[in-house]
């Protein structure tokens, strides 16, 4: 194990590595790790990596902030599992818009059972895309998933059987809009190396499917970071319960279909991402950059560094 990382707030360099690795196992955006971590003695800074943005598909960085929010949730959780309290300040400096959060390490006490269980889930979580078995999610689990979103200052709305055909139409519309945009097609191929026609497609929806929308109460960067953390908490609660989840972001990425989806879920929430939850077979892990070899994810600063 490399010893190059600045120890943070009493964590050893190995522990700093482990919490950053946990953070980077969050859901990715178009297979790119659009985050950076900067360690100083008392804190870890989370930065957006704006060199890895997708300006056509995500012009206002909304999806980038969702992905970074998910990484932040994993980071908080991994720190908490080590018995340290992570005090998080979101968007702390208006002069540094890429500095998304400062996580200060404050005080020690053993993590409770909920945090310990959640902290074991990130290595097992992965996005599941193939069609799976129809699902009846027990009410207690559904309430647990809703509660997970609420704890992170967001909301999880679910769609009933009558709303699923409308969602399917909206996804088809969003897919069509993106396919007819040459700039989107070029950007998609660049980031994924795949033919965009094979991108997400329009999934079939069985009436028993659990389709949920993670929504926020406003649509500013702060809400996107909160929704990303909520998404990750929901994904980990689902992972522990043995549910597979796929993410459907097309319908939210296209403004016209996002507006209609917003109406479909009652008009009050801003939809951020659609989740499809099913019981299914495990998927292989999507590889991440090796932070020790590449230093892609961690920036190092000296003992007196500032974020
Ligand atoms: C904001 C956001 C939107 C996403 N949208 C989609 C999507 O529309 N379709 C899809 O198949 N995966 C989507 N994903 C999932 C990523 O493609 C997936 O996380 C990545 O391939 C890494 O795989 P893993 O989640 O199994 O680690 C999204 C992820 C994020 C963070």
């Amino acid at each position: 194990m490399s010893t190059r990382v600045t120890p943070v707030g009493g964590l050893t360099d190995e522990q700093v590595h482990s919490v950053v690795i946990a953070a980077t196992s969050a859901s990715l955006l178009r297979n790119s790790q659009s985050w950076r971590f900067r360690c100083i003695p008392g804190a870890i800074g989370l930065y957006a990596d704006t060199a890895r943005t997708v300006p056509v598909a995500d012009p206002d960085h909304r999806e980038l902030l969702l992905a970074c929010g998910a990484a932040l949730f994993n980071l908080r959780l991994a720190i908490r599992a080590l018995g340290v309290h992570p005090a998080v300040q979101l968007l702390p400096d208006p002069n540094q818009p890429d500095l998304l959060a400062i996580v200060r390490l404050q005080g020690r006490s053993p993590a409770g059972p909920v945090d310990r269980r959640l902290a074991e889930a990130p290595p097992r979580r992965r996005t599941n895309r193939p069609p799976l078995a129809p699902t009846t999610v027990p009410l207690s689990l559904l309430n647990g998933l809703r509660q997970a979103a609420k704890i992170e200052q967001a909301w999880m709305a679910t769609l009933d059987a009558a709303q699923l055909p409308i969602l399917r139409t909206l996804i088809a519309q969003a897919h069509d809009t993106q396919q007819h945009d040459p700039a989107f097609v070029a950007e998609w191929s660049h980031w994924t190396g795949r033919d965009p026609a094979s991108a997400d497609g329009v999934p079939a929806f069985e009436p028993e499917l659990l389709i949920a929308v993670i929504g926020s109460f406003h649509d500013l960067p702060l809400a996107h970071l909160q929704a990303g953390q909520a998404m990750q908490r929901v994904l980990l609660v689902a992972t522990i319960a043995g549910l597979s989840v796929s993410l459907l972001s097309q319908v939210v990425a296209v403004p016209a279909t996002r507006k209609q989806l917003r109406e479909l879920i009652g008009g009050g929430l801003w939809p951020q991402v659609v989740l499809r939850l099913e019981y299914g077979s495990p998927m292989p892990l999507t590889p991440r950059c090796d932070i020790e070899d590449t230093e892609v994810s961690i920036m190092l600063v000296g003992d007196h560094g500032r974020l």
Side-chain angles (χ1 to χ4, degrees):
M1 166 82 49
S2 153
T3 53
R4 294 167 303 176
V5 171
T6 308
V8 179
L11 299 188
T12 65
D13 53 355
E14 282 199 357
Q15 287 173 325
V16 175
H17 264 97
S18 73
V19 298
V20 173
I21 286 170
T24 61
S25 72
S27 300
L28 302 179
L29 196 53
R30 283 175 190 70
N31 260 351
S32 86
Q33 297 182 185
S34 39
W35 43 60
R36 290 285 179 271
F37 300 89
R38 187 168 189 177
C39 304
I40 61 168
I44 299 178
L46 167 64
Y47 293 77
D49 182 354
T50 44
R52 286 169 169 258
T53 53
V54 280
V56 179
D58 188 28
D60 54 3
H61 297 173
R62 189 187 59 80
E63 291 194 353
L64 180 144
L65 292 179
L66 286 177
C68 289
L72 174 61
F73 181 76
N74 274 6
L75 181 70
R76 283 168 44 200
L77 195 60
I79 292 170
R80 190 67 202 95
L82 292 172
V84 178
H85 284 278
V88 178
Q89 195 182 358
L90 296 178
L91 301 173
D93 183 354
N95 295 318
Q96 292 191 77
D98 294 347
L99 174 55
L100 303 182
I102 297 179
V103 184
R104 294 192 174 84
L105 278 62
Q106 289 181 348
R108 285 183 176 264
S109 69
V114 172
D115 285 337
R116 282 207 310 271
R117 261 196 106 198
L118 278 175
E120 286 167 7
R124 286 187 282 126
R125 184 219 56 83
R126 56 213 63 186
T127 305
N128 220 334
R129 295 185 183 82
L132 302 163
T135 296
T136 305
V137 172
L139 188 60
S140 58
L141 173 54
L142 188 55
N143 287 337
L145 295 167
R146 289 193 178 119
Q147 181 64 14
K150 222 168 140 182
I151 291 171
E152 300 300 327
Q153 321 296 323
W155 199 262
M156 190 184 96
T158 50
L159 299 193
D160 63 30
Q163 292 171 310
L164 294 186
I166 304 171
L167 177 66
R168 190 170 150 76
T169 306
L170 292 180
I171 292 176
Q173 224 175 296
H175 191 66
D176 202 48
T177 304
Q178 290 183 330
Q179 295 311 302
H180 284 91
D181 178 353
F184 174 87
V185 170
E187 188 178 81
W188 175 273
S189 310
H190 171 74
W191 278 104
T192 65
R194 286 189 281 147
D195 174 2
S198 73
D200 293 320
V202 184
F205 291 142
E206 306 292 337
E208 297 89 349
L209 264 189
L210 176 57
I211 298 289
V213 182
I214 301 290
S216 57
F217 301 106
H218 59 87
D219 202 28
L220 297 170
L222 181 76
H224 302 154
L225 281 171
Q226 289 170 330
Q229 292 177 84
M231 172 183 81
Q232 188 67 11
R233 188 182 272 272
V234 168
L235 293 179
L236 296 185
V237 171
T239 300
I240 291 170
L243 281 171
S244 297
V245 187
S246 47
L247 286 80
L248 311 170
S249 58
Q250 275 178 310
V251 66
V252 186
V254 173
T257 52
R258 185 183 192 203
K259 186 165 177 276
Q260 293 177 70
L261 176 62
R262 188 169 187 225
E263 283 158 20
L264 190 66
I265 59 172
L269 288 176
W270 289 93
Q272 299 298 347
V273 68
V274 178
L275 308 180
R276 170 181 156 145
L277 301 105
E278 296 153 282
Y279 291 106
S281 42
M283 292 283 292
L285 199 63
T286 304
R288 303 291 193 262
C289 297
D290 183 338
I291 60 167
E292 286 177 31
D293 289 346
T294 63
E295 288 189 18
V296 156
S297 295
I298 298 184
M299 289 190 277
L300 309 174
V301 292
D303 280 354
H304 304 292
R306 287 167 56 87
L307 294 173

